[in-house]
Amino acid sequence: MSSEERRRKEKENRKNSILKAARKLFFERGFKSVTVDLIAAKAEVSKGSIYLYFDSKEEIYTQILISANIERHKLIEGFSKMEGPASEVLMAFARDYVHFFLENNELFRILMTFMLHSENMNLTEDQNTQLIHTTNENIRTISEILQKGIDTGEFISSVDVRQIQNAIWGMLNGIISLYIYTGAPDKRTERIHAMVREGLSIFIKGIKADSVRQNI
Amino acid sequence: MSSEERRRKEKENRKNSILKAARKLFFERGFKSVTVDLIAAKAEVSKGSIYLYFDSKEEIYTQILISANIERHKLIEGFSKMEGPASEVLMAFARDYVHFFLENNELFRILMTFMLHSENMNLTEDQNTQLIHTTNENIRTISEILQKGIDTGEFISSVDVRQIQNAIWGMLNGIISLYIYTGAPDKRTERIHAMVREGLSIFIKGIKADSVRQNI
DNA sequence: ACGCATCATGACCGTAAGTCATAGTGTGGA
DNA sequence: TCCACACTATGACTTACGGTCATGATGCGT
């Protein structure tokens, strides 16, 4: 039915405009200092309406990461199909990943908050699953690059791809946390990227086929 | 003066017993669901007294990490003086570090909360400095181990020790976050340790002198 | 024994998340 | 055209919690 369809669409729009307002506020001031009343004011709806579309402030916060994940997924699909040595693709991916979260500081905080406090986020099973799914979808790229490297003989085949994916992901997240903490803008950014480059290239050296001949 | 000294001591005791009560509660229920009234009840003091010793709930939370850092420092001093190949010492350190935070989940959350939200923690400059200092003191061990490895020729000398220290630290923290998120106890613990072992050993391979002969 | 300084207390305040009774709006049928 | 009904919007209200402060207790030096 056309009217029902329009209804659904309008509902989706309303939800999105709340999300958009919330996103802007959270990015400007962080989770704690943004009140639901503020979001309501910014989105030009009443507070009650917010709770018509979301169950809690935490859900709004989470939802922002989910939609960012989905958007981002489209942008990074290319990496796993990229030409050239897997090691270079991996470096490029890492650079992009770090760049993305340095530019979107608060998104990273959402990710970490979720990782560290998933139980206290009052999310439904569905929302939980969705967040995990979209996140996994994005980091799986690392596995794909690693696998390509193994297939072409560039990387040794004795590594557990999934585990290395997680180790690399962990390293990137850890480095980003470090940056967010030391916090300074500008110059610091370049140092972080240097750290990622150096750290990852050592890592790559460790899985390169020709550097471990004696171990095979 | 004896009476003034006793006063100071009693004050310190009071502070410690509040800290002890708070620690127990935070470890059981996490930051958010522990109220200051609860801490007061557990420590058998009034709420007002709590604020005689601490400026904010966040300060209590932070102080717990600081004292844990200090205690832990005594325990890990040994690592940098440990006999044997630096790579093995590094592995042992990593295992210990991860083990510590897996056992003390909430301490890790405090660390990360501080790293991600240091501005919103309402800490005085002093408290801030103290936390940074004690944390640095503990992770500097990594640098010391790396340096020893370089000095004995086990590791290549072309690496930036400080940067590698941070990369390794980041990796460990990232992996711990991942664990806390996937959360399951028991079996998961062994998988995490396996991930740390594999990740770090690849890393070590990347900085070992004899695996990069062709790069020198 | 008195006065002063320090410490302890819990009623109280302000703020913010979340709820709900009430009001508005648009749609389908008479 | 108008009515009834379902769905949506609203903001005053409730509740909970961090933090404060006026009042009272305690003990030390004189």
Side-chain angles (χ1 to χ4, degrees):
Chain A
M1 209 188 267
S2 135
S3 87
E4 190 185 323
E5 203 176 301
R6 203 183 55 216
R7 280 273 201 76
R8 208 203 295 291
K9 244 187 181 169
E10 251 165 41
K11 208 168 170 177
E12 202 57 35
N13 277 346
R14 219 85 152 82
K15 197 170 173 174
N16 278 332
S17 75
I18 293 171
L19 225 42
K20 204 174 152 188
R23 183 183 157 118
K24 187 148 191 221
L25 287 169
F26 283 135
F27 279 35
E28 278 166 14
R29 320 191 190 183
F31 183 74
K32 215 186 150 186
S33 39
V34 172
T35 67
V36 176
D37 287 279
L38 247 169
I39 297 173
K42 184 106 179 175
E44 290 175 307
V45 296
S46 70
K47 185 173 177 164
S49 291
I50 301 252
Y51 285 93
L52 234 47
Y53 296 98
F54 301 93
D55 291 339
S56 65
K57 191 182 162 190
E58 279 84 4
E59 197 207 322
I60 305 176
Y61 200 54
T62 308
Q63 213 56 249
I64 290 171
L65 179 59
I66 292 176
S67 50
N69 273 346
I70 292 170
E71 259 175 62
R72 185 167 158 70
H73 185 56
K74 295 173 202 153
L75 296 174
I76 62 169
E77 269 182 320
F79 277 107
S80 55
K81 292 158 199 153
M82 216 161 148
E83 296 294 324
S87 59
E88 278 173 30
V89 178
L90 197 52
M91 286 295 276
F93 176 86
R95 191 185 167 77
D96 184 73
Y97 182 87
V98 173
H99 179 75
F100 177 73
F101 279 125
L102 292 190
E103 291 290 296
N104 299 282
N105 235 298
E106 195 62 28
L107 276 184
F108 185 74
R109 285 202 189 92
I110 306 178
L111 175 64
M112 293 308 283
T113 304
F114 178 71
M115 287 183 73
L116 296 167
H117 302 104
S118 45
E119 343 70 59
N120 302 60
M121 292 285 270
N122 306 325
L123 302 183
T124 65
E125 202 49 53
D126 252 32
Q127 290 153 7
N128 223 307
T129 311
Q130 220 189 340
L131 183 45
I132 294 171
H133 178 75
T134 55
T135 302
N136 276 341
E137 216 163 34
N138 283 344
I139 61 165
R140 193 170 39 240
T141 308
I142 299 177
S143 278
E144 286 160 7
I145 299 171
L146 288 171
Q147 191 57 55
K148 213 182 81 178
I150 291 172
D151 293 345
T152 61
E154 186 181 350
F155 296 152
I156 54 177
S157 58
S158 59
V159 295
D160 178 331
V161 169
R162 185 60 177 269
Q163 226 157 32
I164 300 307
Q165 167 202 284
N166 288 336
I168 291 176
W169 185 39
M171 183 172 76
L172 298 181
N173 288 341
I175 293 175
I176 294 168
S177 315
L178 203 55
Y179 162 84
I180 284 182
Y181 162 56
T182 52
D186 306 334
K187 287 299 158 57
R188 197 63 70 158
T189 306
E190 194 33 54
R191 281 181 66 177
I192 295 294
H193 278 297
M195 190 167 137
V196 170
R197 273 200 306 278
E198 185 157 3
L200 189 58
S201 69
I202 285 173
F203 208 94
I204 287 171
K205 230 183 265 173
I207 53 172
K208 271 215 173 167
D210 57 8
S211 72
V212 287
R213 202 166 298 140
Q214 71 274 24
N215 289 16
I216 296 177
Chain B
M1 210 187 267
S2 133
S3 88
E4 190 183 325
E5 203 176 301
R6 203 184 54 216
R7 281 273 202 76
R8 209 204 293 292
K9 244 187 180 169
E10 252 166 41
K11 208 168 171 177
E12 203 57 36
N13 277 346
R14 220 84 151 80
K15 197 169 173 174
N16 278 333
S17 75
I18 292 170
L19 224 42
K20 203 174 153 189
R23 182 182 158 119
K24 187 147 191 221
L25 287 169
F26 283 135
F27 279 35
E28 278 167 13
R29 322 191 190 182
F31 183 75
K32 216 187 148 186
S33 39
V34 172
T35 67
V36 176
D37 287 278
L38 249 167
I39 298 173
K42 184 105 179 177
E44 290 174 307
V45 296
S46 70
K47 187 172 173 165
S49 291
I50 300 253
Y51 286 92
L52 234 46
Y53 297 98
F54 300 93
D55 291 338
S56 64
K57 189 182 163 190
E58 279 83 5
E59 197 207 322
I60 304 176
Y61 200 54
T62 307
Q63 213 55 250
I64 290 170
L65 180 58
I66 292 176
S67 50
N69 274 346
I70 292 170
E71 259 174 61
R72 185 167 156 71
H73 185 57
K74 294 173 204 153
L75 296 175
I76 62 170
E77 268 181 321
F79 278 107
S80 56
K81 290 158 201 153
M82 215 160 149
E83 295 295 322
S87 58
E88 278 172 30
V89 177
L90 197 52
M91 287 294 276
F93 175 86
R95 190 186 167 78
D96 184 73
Y97 182 88
V98 173
H99 178 75
F100 178 74
F101 279 125
L102 293 190
E103 292 290 295
N104 301 282
N105 237 299
E106 196 61 28
L107 276 184
F108 185 73
R109 286 202 188 92
I110 305 178
L111 175 63
M112 292 309 283
T113 304
F114 178 71
M115 287 183 73
L116 295 167
H117 302 105
S118 46
E119 341 72 58
N120 302 59
M121 293 284 271
N122 306 324
L123 302 183
T124 66
E125 202 49 53
D126 253 30
Q127 291 154 6
N128 224 306
T129 311
Q130 220 189 341
L131 182 46
I132 295 171
H133 177 75
T134 55
T135 303
N136 277 341
E137 216 163 35
N138 284 344
I139 61 165
R140 194 172 37 242
T141 308
I142 298 177
S143 278
E144 286 161 6
I145 299 171
L146 288 171
Q147 191 57 55
K148 213 181 82 177
I150 292 171
D151 294 346
T152 61
E154 187 181 349
F155 296 152
I156 54 178
S157 60
S158 59
V159 295
D160 179 331
V161 169
R162 186 60 177 269
Q163 228 158 29
I164 300 305
Q165 167 202 284
N166 287 336
I168 290 174
W169 186 40
M171 183 171 76
L172 298 181
N173 287 340
I175 292 175
I176 294 167
S177 315
L178 203 54
Y179 162 84
I180 286 182
Y181 162 55
T182 52
D186 306 333
K187 288 298 160 55
R188 197 63 71 155
T189 307
E190 194 33 55
R191 281 181 68 177
I192 294 294
H193 277 297
M195 190 166 137
V196 170
R197 273 201 305 278
E198 185 156 4
L200 188 59
S201 69
I202 285 173
F203 207 95
I204 287 171
K205 232 183 263 173
I207 54 173
K208 271 215 171 169
D210 57 9
S211 71
V212 289
R213 202 165 298 139
Q214 71 273 25
N215 289 17
I216 297 176

